[in-house]
Amino acid sequence: MSRRTRAARRPRRADTVPIHLYGLRRGTFTVLTLVCAAFALFILAPVVWLAINATKTQANVYGTPGFWFARPFHLFQNLSALGRNVSGAGVYLQWLGNTMLYALSAAAGATILSALAGYGFARFRFRAANALFYLVMSTLLVPITSLALPLFLVYAKVGLVNSVWGMILPSMVSPVGIYLMRTYIDASVPRDLIDAARMDGAGELRIFVRIVLPLTVPGLVTVLLLTVVAVWNNYFLPLIIFSRNRLYPLTVGLSSLSHAAETGSKAELVPVLIAGGLVTILPLIVLFLFLEKYFRGGALQGSTTG
C-alpha cells in the first residue's frame, strides 16, 4: 500500500489543514517544526529549572545538578517561608496581593479606556482625528527613563508617592491597547450595523455597550492580558514611587529579597527566592491558558474578515 493511499485512509480531524495548502514542502515543514521545538525548549527551560530548584535546600541548589531533583524535598518549607518576613524587607504574599490589585485594576481601566478611544478613532470623523491618533502613538517612542524625574515631581505635588493610585492610574493609559482596539473595531464592527442602530433610535452609549463590545471580545481580552502582563512585570515605576515595603509589587519585592540573599545576611534565602519566582509566573500561565480560546477566536475572525 502506497504512502498516499495510507494517508487518504487515515481519519482526518475537522480542524486540521493539509500541509500542501500552506504552500510548504514536507521537508520545510519539518525544519520549521524543529525550529519551533528548539524555541519552546529555550523558553521552557528556565521554568523547569525554577520548578526543580524550588524543591531544594540552599546547599543542594549550589551542590546538585540544576535540572534534577535532590533530597531532602524542601518545596513546602520554601513555600511556607513566602508567608513570613524572612528577608526583613517584607512578606511575599503581601507583594503578591499588591501585584494582583495593581494589575487587575489597571487592566480593567486600560481595557475600558482603550475600547472607548479605539471606537472613537474607528467610527467617528472629527477634525484632526488622524493627527491626534498619531500623537497618541508617538508616546510609544518616549522611553520611561526620561520621564522618571518629571513623573516623580508631579507625583510629589499631587500626593501620589506611596499611593496605590500612583501605580494604577498611569497603567490605565495604553497606546498599544488603543491601536489594537481601533484596528479590531475597523475589522469586526460593520459601519452599516452602527448606522442601522442609530436610525432605530439607539444612543451612542447603548450602541457601544450592546453592539460594539460583544463583537470585540477577543480584542478586549487581548488588551486585558497585555496590560496585566505589563503591570505584573513593571519594575521601574513602583521602584521610584514606593518607599514602603508593604506597597511593593512582586518585581520590587523579589529584588529586595534577591539583594538580601546575595549579601548573605540571611540563611536559606536562595531557595525561597526561587520558589517566589515560580509562584510569580504561575498566575500569568493560568490566565493565558484560561483566555487562550478568545485569542484563537480573534485570529479566526481576523482571517475571515481579511
Side-chain angles (χ1 to χ4, degrees), residues 24-103:
L24 300 175
R25 296 182 178 180
R26 185 171 296 274
T28 304
F29 181 80
T30 302
V31 172
L32 292 177
T33 302
L34 293 176
V35 171
C36 291
F39 184 75
L41 181 63
F42 175 78
I43 295 297
L44 293 176
V47 180
V48 174
W49 187 91
L50 285 174
I52 293 176
N53 287 273
T55 66
K56 298 180 179 180
T57 62
Q58 183 155 314
N60 286 335
V61 169
Y62 293 107
T64 60
F67 286 93
W68 198 249
F69 296 92
R71 294 182 178 180
F73 189 80
H74 218 250
L75 175 63
F76 299 109
Q77 291 87 335
N78 295 333
L79 292 177
S80 64
L82 298 179
R84 306 192 304 270
N85 190 1
V86 292
S87 64
V91 181
Y92 175 90
L93 292 182
Q94 187 175 39
W95 301 334
L96 179 61
N98 293 339
T99 304
M100 288 183 175
L101 173 63
Y102 303 152

Side-chain angles (χ1 to χ4, degrees), residues 5 11 15 77 83 86 124 143 145 153 181 189 197 240 248 250 285 298-299:
T5 303
D15 58 348
Q77 291 87 335
V86 292
F124 288 90
T145 52
L153 294 177
M181 290 308 302
V189 182
I240 64 175
Y248 284 170
L250 286 172
I285 295 175

Side-chain angles (χ1 to χ4, degrees), residues 157-194:
K157 290 290 185 180
V158 298
L160 289 180
V161 176
N162 285 320
S163 170
V164 172
W165 291 107
M167 182 69 186
I168 295 175
L169 290 178
S171 304
M172 292 173 62
V173 181
S174 174
V176 174
I178 295 174
Y179 171 79
L180 289 176
M181 290 308 302
R182 181 195 181 188
T183 304
Y184 200 88
I185 290 173
D186 272 332
S188 304
V189 182
R191 292 181 182 272
D192 295 340
L193 184 61
I194 296 178

Side-chain angles (χ1 to χ4, degrees), residues 217-291:
V217 170
L220 295 173
V221 172
T222 301
V223 176
L224 179 73
L225 185 56
L226 289 178
T227 307
V228 167
V229 173
V231 178
W232 197 278
N233 295 327
N234 195 339
Y235 176 77
F236 195 76
L237 178 62
L239 181 66
I240 64 175
I241 67 172
F242 292 144
S243 60
R244 301 173 184 170
N245 55 31
R246 63 182 179 84
L247 296 174
Y248 284 170
L250 286 172
T251 49
V252 181
L254 287 177
S255 177
S256 62
L257 181 60
S258 175
H259 178 72
E262 290 175 357
T263 57
S265 58
K266 302 288 183 180
E268 298 291 325
L269 282 185
V270 172
V272 176
L273 177 64
I274 295 173
L278 178 64
V279 176
T280 299
I281 64 175
L282 291 180
L284 295 181
I285 295 175
V286 172
L287 182 64
F288 178 81
L289 293 177
F290 177 73
L291 299 178

Side-chain angles (χ1 to χ4, degrees), residues 9 15 21 27 46 98 115 130 155 175 177 180 195 208 257 276 280 287 289 292 294 302 305:
R9 292 185 177 181
D15 58 348
L21 294 182
N98 293 339
N130 288 333
Y155 273 23
L180 289 176
D195 293 338
F208 178 75
L257 181 60
T280 299
L287 182 64
L289 293 177
E292 184 268 340
Y294 295 101
T305 54

